[in-house]
Amino acid sequence: MDLIRKNIHIDRMKCRAGTQVTLEDDINIADVRPDVYQLVEEQGEIVIEELRAAQDHVHIKGKLRFCVLYLSDDDVRRPSSMEGSLPFEEQVYMEGVVPTDGVVVKKELEDLSVGIINSRKLSVQALISFGLSVEELYDEEAAVELTGQEPVEVKRKVIDLAGLVIRKKDIFRVREEIVIPTGHPNIFEILWETCELADVQFRLMEGRIAVQGQIRIFFLYEGEGEGRPASWYEHAFPFSGLLDCQGLREQMTGDITCSVGHKEIEVKEDADGEERVVSLELVLDLDMKIYEEEQTEILSDVYGVTKEIDVVTGTARLKQLRMKNTGRARLSGRFRVAEGMPKMQQICHSACAVQLAEVRIVKEGLRVTGAALVKNLYASQDTEFPFSSCEGTVPFSYILEIPGICDTDTWRLETSVSELSVVMADGEEADVKVTVVFSGIVFAPYEEPMIREIRVSEPDPEMLEALPGIVAYIAGENDSLWEIGKKYHVPISRIREINALAEDEVRPGEKLLIVKGVS
């Protein structure tokens, strides 16, 4: 007798590790840049150049690219900027990792601090955190059918599971040309720019993934003309498109993450030969896991009527999709310009980052606590400080509803900002309204007994001799026709036929006649 098996593709966490890296250095201002009078704002980007796994260790090499916006130490305070980088190289202990593993790294710039040493030198300090993980894919073999000539009784069971059907990485390109509107000077040099993703969504289709979202770009630039006036422009635009994905079906469930992998901004001439066009090209890195929820009927037990059947079982580690859900928290707050800093005349640009303090499982779902950190670049009336920045935090505590969640469940949570509004109340205070999006997917892992092998042998003659030909049986509290038939090596259909039973259920105390033989 042979088992017919079905492969179930499962992913699971093999190992994980985390570390923090502190960077610190003194950076000289480039000769082509003016002296520093006052710092305005700084931003940084972590670039991974090498990620290599070894036995129980992971080697990370890269750099922190940073940009500093400052006011020049000239008779007229002009905005200027400088860029630099701080290299890092770390060996992280990660028990269980081997050289062939594909390591995924989640990086976060937790803190970036820039100070003035003198007019030609800055001190840069940064704290970077890395979360490393390795997921492994494996197949569980489920016995779904039994072939052979021997008369046997087969018990079946339907299990719910989430099988991984597609695991891949891909890219999505976004290109846009932004024309500076009339009333703004031509671009001489871009001093400061930000580019942010918002409301990125994925919809699964037959063989394709629909991608859509919004990009917000801002740049502060030095304009052409007398006095090289400082100007700025902010533009938001939607993007959408389709990605081919062979084997994808609409009813599947996607777990897709998106990040900016490459960004290129270039100033171009318009039709009149003036530098008024900003060309943007973004490459979005997509990490995709696609699951299919299915009900699979498996063999859970077998017994023989004329032969002895030995069932060898093992334990399969499976998982069900508990829920995929998205929620939005609308937050509001007010914050002030720091004491001693110039008052606001006009807000140039506002940006928001979500900082998580804790994510934990509660009865209703995932409780997420943290804060929205809002930064504002603004213009002032003070000629000594024509530009400055301020920031504030809006705390939140939000429950992403996941009915039925329990402590053994596994989850992944992504946060993003979909809407941000900062309005001046007066020159010292601003009102903030921000919508934070929480996207979570939760799985319920479980263990399921699986038939691994069927061994057929001749029955023990003494055992067969001891079995009575006819038995008057009184059903006990936990009895079933399956257990009774297995005990006496009698087909279930024969028990039903002799006792005129319409179903396989028996009630405690019910009297049954058991007759040996094959139906």
Side-chain angles (χ1 to χ4, degrees):
M1 303 190 73
D2 295 315
L3 288 170
I4 298 176
R5 308 173 190 273
K6 175 182 179 180
N7 283 340
I8 302 171
H9 305 296
I10 304 293
D11 63 321
R12 64 186 174 199
M13 186 64 65
K14 178 183 177 182
C15 52
R16 65 173 75 213
T19 189
Q20 287 185 324
V21 178
T22 301
L23 304 177
E24 184 174 2
D25 202 358
D26 296 339
I27 306 296
N28 292 320
I29 304 293
D31 292 340
V32 295
R33 292 298 185 187
D35 289 355
V36 178
Y37 175 73
Q38 177 71 39
L39 300 179
V40 177
E41 199 167 341
E42 64 276 332
Q43 60 183 355
E45 176 189 12
I46 304 167
V47 179
I48 304 294
E49 298 173 328
E50 183 180 355
L51 185 66
R52 186 178 71 252
Q55 187 65 48
D56 292 330
H57 286 84
V58 176
H59 179 76
I60 308 175
K61 183 181 179 181
K63 60 187 176 184
L64 170 66
R65 285 203 298 241
F66 63 87
C67 183
V68 180
L69 179 66
Y70 66 91
L71 299 177
S72 67
D73 192 10
D74 297 324
D75 293 338
V76 178
R77 309 295 186 203
R78 301 176 183 274
S80 187
S81 63
M82 65 156 290
E83 297 179 347
S85 63
L86 300 179
F88 60 81
E89 193 165 358
E90 285 290 311
Q91 194 88 349
V92 183
Y93 177 72
M94 190 174 185
E95 185 177 1
V97 71
V98 297
T100 55
D101 282 339
V103 180
V104 177
V105 58
K106 186 175 183 180
K107 54 189 189 282
E108 182 179 356
L109 179 58
E110 293 194 6
D111 185 52
L112 176 62
S113 176
V114 180
I116 300 175
I117 297 176
N118 57 52
S119 62
R120 303 301 301 172
K121 183 177 289 189
L122 303 177
S123 66
V124 181
Q125 296 177 322
L127 178 63
I128 302 173
S129 66
F130 295 105
L132 308 175
S133 62
V134 173
E135 289 186 339
E136 60 181 355
L137 306 179
Y138 65 100
D139 288 341
E140 286 286 2
E141 289 190 334
V144 295
E145 196 54 80
L146 186 64
T147 63
Q149 301 300 317
E150 296 293 338
V152 296
E153 285 292 304
V154 175
K155 188 177 183 181
R156 305 177 188 276
K157 179 181 181 180
V158 176
I159 60 173
D160 294 318
L161 57 91
L164 182 68
V165 293
I166 297 173
R167 179 72 170 98
K168 62 181 290 190
K169 295 181 183 292
D170 210 334
I171 62 171
F172 185 82
R173 297 183 184 275
V174 180
R175 295 183 177 91
E176 181 81 359
E177 288 197 340
I178 303 153
V179 180
I180 302 298
T182 304
H184 288 67
N186 295 345
I187 299 173
F188 179 76
E189 181 187 9
I190 292 180
L191 302 173
W192 182 263
E193 51 86 8
T194 64
C195 188
E196 301 160 323
L197 295 175
D199 259 352
V200 181
Q201 299 177 25
F202 304 94
R203 183 166 58 89
L204 306 190
M205 306 168 65
E206 296 296 319
R208 296 188 296 181
I209 299 175
V211 186
Q212 68 176 32
Q214 186 184 68
I215 292 175
R216 304 188 188 108
I217 184 170
F218 166 83
F219 43 91
L220 174 70
Y221 68 94
E222 193 173 60
E224 291 182 348
E226 185 178 353
R228 296 276 173 82
S231 188
W232 61 91
Y233 184 62
E234 188 166 25
H235 179 66
F237 62 92
F239 67 88
S240 61
L242 297 172
L243 280 174
D244 291 332
C245 188
Q246 188 175 0
L248 185 66
R249 294 196 298 275
E250 188 174 351
Q251 65 270 25
M252 293 177 177
T253 301
D255 181 14
I256 305 174
T257 60
C258 172
S259 60
V260 177
H262 176 74
K263 176 181 64 178
E264 190 171 325
I265 294 178
E266 182 183 0
V267 179
K268 293 183 177 181
E269 294 181 349
D270 62 10
D272 297 325
E274 297 182 326
E275 306 231 335
R276 302 187 63 80
V277 178
V278 176
S279 174
L280 170 67
E281 181 173 349
L282 283 183
V283 177
L284 306 183
D285 291 336
L286 306 182
D287 189 357
M288 300 185 288
K289 291 191 286 187
I290 310 297
Y291 297 90
E292 184 170 32
E293 296 178 82
E294 57 179 314
Q295 290 188 323
T296 298
E297 188 177 68
I298 64 172
L299 302 183
S300 60
D301 201 1
V302 180
Y303 71 82
V305 176
T306 61
K307 299 286 187 179
E308 189 70 29
I309 303 292
D310 185 21
V311 178
V312 180
T313 63
T315 300
R317 288 176 291 177
L318 307 175
K319 64 181 182 181
Q320 299 173 331
L321 176 64
R322 178 79 70 189
M323 190 175 188
K324 182 180 180 182
N325 195 14
T326 299
R328 295 171 181 260
R330 292 173 172 82
L331 312 175
S332 61
R334 172 175 283 204
F335 55 87
R336 296 178 58 86
V337 171
E339 188 175 349
M341 300 304 292
K343 294 183 180 181
M344 295 181 288
Q345 182 184 30
Q346 183 179 356
I347 294 176
C348 306
H349 173 65
S350 299
C352 181
V354 180
Q355 297 178 332
L356 296 184
E358 183 186 38
V359 182
R360 62 185 177 93
I361 293 176
V362 295
K363 181 180 178 180
E364 301 87 352
L366 292 175
R367 178 180 290 279
V368 190
T369 56
L373 174 61
V374 180
K375 288 187 175 183
N376 290 312
L377 174 65
Y378 65 89
S380 78
Q381 292 181 329
D382 191 336
T383 56
E384 284 289 303
F385 301 97
F387 291 92
S388 189
S389 65
C390 60
E391 64 181 46
T393 58
V394 184
F396 61 79
S397 179
Y398 180 81
I399 294 180
L400 182 63
E401 294 183 358
I402 307 288
I405 195 170
C406 61
D407 291 338
T408 57
D409 287 353
T410 61
W411 49 267
R412 192 186 64 78
L413 180 75
E414 292 286 326
T415 60
S416 60
V417 175
S418 68
E419 298 174 4
L420 174 63
S421 171
V422 181
V423 179
M424 289 173 50
D426 53 38
E428 296 182 335
E429 292 187 319
D431 290 318
V432 178
K433 292 183 179 179
V434 58
T435 300
V436 179
V437 181
F438 305 90
S439 300
I441 185 168
V442 179
F443 293 93
Y446 68 99
E447 293 185 346
E448 182 68 40
M450 290 283 188
I451 295 178
R452 303 299 192 195
E453 186 180 351
I454 295 290
R455 297 171 183 167
V456 182
S457 60
E458 293 296 327
D460 182 357
E462 294 183 2
M463 183 271 293
L464 287 180
E465 187 67 26
L467 288 175
I470 299 178
V471 177
Y473 188 88
I474 299 176
E477 186 70 30
N478 298 315
D479 272 339
S480 66
L481 289 191
W482 174 267
E483 297 297 334
I484 297 169
K486 185 176 182 180
K487 179 178 180 180
Y488 293 102
H489 290 259
V490 176
I492 292 175
S493 59
R494 186 171 180 81
I495 301 175
R496 281 202 309 262
E497 179 184 351
I498 292 174
N499 294 276
L501 299 175
E503 54 187 22
D504 290 348
E505 300 297 325
V506 292
R507 295 182 297 275
E510 188 171 358
K511 297 177 181 179
L512 302 174
L513 187 64
I514 311 298
V515 180
K516 287 177 62 175
V518 180
S519 61

